[in-house]
Amino acid sequence: MQLNRRQFASTAGVALFAAGSSVPQNTTLTVTLAMDRIRQNIGVTWKESTIDGVKAGDGNASVSGVAVTAVATMDTLARAVREKTNLIVSLEPVYYSHNDGPAALNPQTAGGRGGGGGRGAGGIAPDDPVFLAKKDFIAKNGLAVIRLSDHWRARTPDPFALGLAQTMTWTKYRAGSDTRYDIPGITIAALADDLANKLNVRAGIRVVGDPQAQVSRIGVLPGVSALVASVKLLPECDVIVAGETREWESVEYAQDAVAAGQKKGLIMLGRVVSEEPGMNLCAGWLKTLLPEVSVRWFPSGDSYWRPA
Amino acid sequence: MTAREVLALMKQNLGSPWNESTYRDVFHAGNPDIEVKGIATTFMATLDLIQRAHAAGLNMVISHETTYWNDRDDTNGLTADAVYQFKTDYCLKNGMVVLRLHDHAHSHQPDFIMAGLVRALGWTASEGPGPRVYSFPKTTLGVMAADLKKRMGARAFRVVGDPKATVSMASVAMGYGMGRFSPGVDLIVGGEQPEADTALDLSSYVLDAAFFGMNKSQIILGHNISEEQGMEDAAIWLRTFVKEVPVQFVRSGEPYWSPGNG
């Protein structure tokens, strides 16, 4: 959704009014202050060791507006500049690696969850031209980037499962947990189309299972998930809607379930696409916390395309 | 000849020492002392592949990747699973045995998997200035991607970058992880790549490079599509010392389809 200036101002005004008296209104909102409020209000104990925090920009800068996104790509940063929004809250790294910077202090651990996937030590080369150009763009435009991952993921209910269900209008079909929804019967093909349309997917969606199989019991695993999650969830549902799983793990497991005669499936959305609705919810939450400025969700979009 | 005897012959004929401490290149399902009637080499010992091999009279499967859905084929926590039980029972009842050939498919000279991938890409004669780097006359990412999609027969083929970006030097990666751009390389072609929070988020990097007009592109083939071809090379090698029974390359196949693309 693109808001024009007037709608933008009115949305911000409503948020300001609705926030009540719990948050001081007359101080200038700086990046550091915004970070402090996030830390104090996140609702889970702040971890001593965390990747969350200010990853780029000046903590003393005053915030003109907040953009919340899954990945702070250049397209997202450029939109923020065009729309006079200088603080970006990003779920995923701004500088391409778990440690969000060029210097991997410990190459053994710098890879994070997907360690090894990039082959070799984690982190971008300090003289990498894309890294330097992005850093320069952030500095020249007075942007700041806050990473909010560990703690947003730790909240209950799981904002990513909830966000995905809301985007798909499945919340009324919730079946006992935030990861399970019993929806009216649909073919896997039609379900994949519905997901692609509602989540604005281009080529990122990949499906295992018979397109014509009728399914109704949905399990959701947004983000990255390991085999153990699929082995637990697939027996109690017809199809798993996942973000990213590995081809020799949950993908093969789903293939084998199908070959064993079960009417099952696995739909992979891509990690980033699957996490976007959870960051839309994050924008809604931040609105109540940062009433001085406008807070909006900037979808990062599906990175992938496919030739005809 | 038993499956165990086939493995012994593989060790003798590898051309370099077999790593006896491998946890991958061992038997993962069925009885290794079974009499071998025929061998199927494949990318992944999926249940579907095992069923097809059985139907073709090939009771030994030599698979590049896992049987039980994790790199160590660790079955802890899986034995009560219905799919696990179905697959395990199927192998035992039908006299199927599964051996993994991963580490030694890569350590063979040349690497079976890389040789198969480069041949499938059509780049055997395009060797570039570095290892796993290939050079060709300048084209665009759009043209290159359309050509490779057709060549590789991939459905869930994914591309990152500007279709109008120039492509003239590619580095090739297999399986999981696609590395990073070395000087002069404007395209990375690989199998499977984790997104976002990883050692290097290549897709976001390529998107940002494209924003700055820096001519970087990425083509993600899929793990199967990038590594399956090389198991045909493994079959050809096996035929040089396994004469008693047929050895066939059988594709486990791309696991995915994509909406609007079959």
Side-chain angles (χ1 to χ4, degrees), chain A residues 218-230:
Chain A
I218 311 288
V220 298
L221 291 176
V224 175
S225 56
L227 171 70
V228 62
S230 299

Side-chain angles (χ1 to χ4, degrees), chain B residues 205-225:
Chain B
Y205 179 85
V206 166
L207 286 176
D208 285 357
F211 176 91
F212 292 117
M214 287 186 191
N215 249 3
K216 303 282 181 225
S217 306
Q218 180 188 24
I219 294 180
I220 308 176
L221 302 168
H223 201 136
N224 169 286
I225 295 289

Side-chain angles (χ1 to χ4, degrees), chain A residues 264-308:
Chain A
K264 303 260 179 175
L266 169 71
I267 300 179
M268 284 213 285
L269 302 169
R271 175 173 181 163
V272 171
V273 164
S274 77
E275 289 173 336
E276 301 236 69
M279 294 316 283
N280 188 3
L281 291 193
C282 186
W285 174 73
L286 281 170
K287 253 179 214 172
T288 64
L289 218 61
L290 309 172
E292 299 94 328
V293 293
S294 82
V295 178
R296 291 180 301 152
W297 174 50
F298 283 18
S300 315
D302 183 0
S303 309
Y304 307 108
W305 57 272
R306 178 178 301 125

Side-chain angles (χ1 to χ4, degrees), chain B:
Chain B
M1 186 170 45
T2 66
R4 213 183 285 284
E5 285 165 350
V6 172
L7 174 59
L9 286 176
M10 289 164 67
K11 292 178 183 181
Q12 284 166 29
N13 287 277
L14 183 67
S16 56
W18 187 271
N19 172 18
E20 292 292 344
S21 66
T22 178
Y23 61 81
R24 295 192 180 100
D25 294 359
V26 296
F27 292 99
H28 291 288
N31 175 9
D33 294 313
I34 209 159
E35 187 71 27
V36 175
K37 293 181 225 146
I39 297 172
T41 69
T42 193
F43 166 70
M44 185 123 76
T46 59
L47 176 57
D48 167 65
L49 179 282
I50 293 170
Q51 290 166 333
R52 284 188 283 123
H54 173 61
L58 308 167
N59 68 337
M60 181 177 185
V61 171
I62 299 181
S63 172
H64 187 61
E65 288 294 355
T66 54
T67 304
Y68 291 118
W69 327 310
N70 69 90
D71 183 46
R72 290 188 166 265
D73 272 287
D74 181 356
T75 58
N76 269 325
L78 297 178
T79 49
D81 181 78
V83 182
Y84 170 85
Q85 289 172 355
F86 189 101
K87 192 171 189 173
T88 304
D89 290 350
Y90 185 91
C91 290
L92 290 174
K93 277 183 195 149
N94 294 288
M96 298 297 293
V97 58
V98 182
L99 172 70
R100 189 167 175 198
L101 177 63
H102 179 277
D103 300 358
H104 298 93
H106 289 303
S107 67
H108 181 272
Q109 291 297 321
D111 180 328
F112 290 135
I113 305 300
M114 183 50 92
L117 173 54
V118 172
R119 186 181 62 245
L121 290 166
W123 293 353
T124 310
S126 307
E127 263 191 55
R132 298 176 182 183
V133 169
Y134 300 84
S135 304
F136 15 73
K138 265 186 191 166
T139 181
T140 64
L141 176 61
V143 170
M144 173 66 84
D147 176 52
L148 291 190
K149 182 174 182 290
K150 208 174 291 171
R151 246 175 223 284
M152 304 305 287
R155 296 179 293 188
F157 183 97
R158 295 176 298 162
V159 187
V160 187
D162 178 356
K164 294 188 286 297
T166 303
V167 173
S168 64
M169 199 187 290
S171 80
V172 175
M174 316 165 266
Y176 193 67
M178 294 180 64
R180 50 187 73 207
F181 288 91
S182 48
V185 169
D186 44 34
L187 167 67
I188 296 182
V189 177
E192 179 174 9
Q193 169 78 12
E195 284 183 41
D197 190 347
T198 181
L200 186 76
D201 177 6
L202 202 59
S203 300
S204 296
Y205 179 85
V206 166
L207 286 176
D208 285 357
F211 176 91
F212 292 117
M214 287 186 191
N215 249 3
K216 303 282 181 225
S217 306
Q218 180 188 24
I219 294 180
I220 308 176
L221 302 168
H223 201 136
N224 169 286
I225 295 289
S226 79
E227 295 203 304
E228 180 147 83
Q229 322 299 327
M231 289 309 284
E232 182 165 22
D233 299 58
I236 292 166
W237 168 70
L238 279 158
R239 280 184 211 123
T240 62
F241 55 87
V242 176
K243 309 279 190 189
E244 298 86 340
V245 296
V247 179
Q248 284 179 31
F249 166 55
V250 184
R251 290 175 190 274
S252 51
E254 186 183 25
Y256 316 107
W257 54 271
S258 270
N261 198 48

Side-chain angles (χ1 to χ4, degrees), chain A residues 31-169:
Chain A
V31 172
T32 304
L33 195 54
M35 190 64 233
D36 288 345
R37 282 194 209 155
I38 290 171
R39 206 178 286 118
Q40 286 154 15
N41 293 280
I42 192 77
V44 294
T45 309
W46 198 261
K47 296 174 179 168
E48 270 181 45
S49 169
T50 178
I51 49 171
D52 293 354
V54 179
K55 297 295 168 176
D58 176 7
N60 295 320
S62 88
V63 175
S64 58
V66 180
V68 183
T69 192
V71 195
T73 58
M74 278 311 306
D75 282 337
T76 311
L77 299 185
R79 180 179 165 195
V81 170
R82 284 197 306 274
E83 301 184 16
K84 312 267 185 266
T85 297
N86 70 342
L87 175 60
I88 293 88
V89 174
S90 179
L91 173 70
E92 300 290 4
V94 58
Y95 291 132
Y96 319 114
S97 67
H98 182 71
N99 64 332
D100 243 317
L105 294 175
N106 180 355
Q108 295 306 310
T109 57
R113 280 214 269 190
R119 289 269 157 90
I124 194 85
D127 59 350
D128 182 277
V130 179
F131 166 63
L132 292 177
K134 190 171 195 175
K135 216 174 136 191
D136 188 52
F137 183 95
I138 288 170
K140 279 198 178 130
N141 290 287
L143 300 180
V145 180
I146 286 176
R147 179 125 189 244
L148 181 58
S149 175
D150 289 344
H151 298 87
W152 186 247
R153 290 182 199 284
R155 278 168 65 100
T156 334
D158 173 1
F160 295 97
L162 200 63
L164 184 56
Q166 283 183 6
T167 300
M168 294 309 297
T169 65

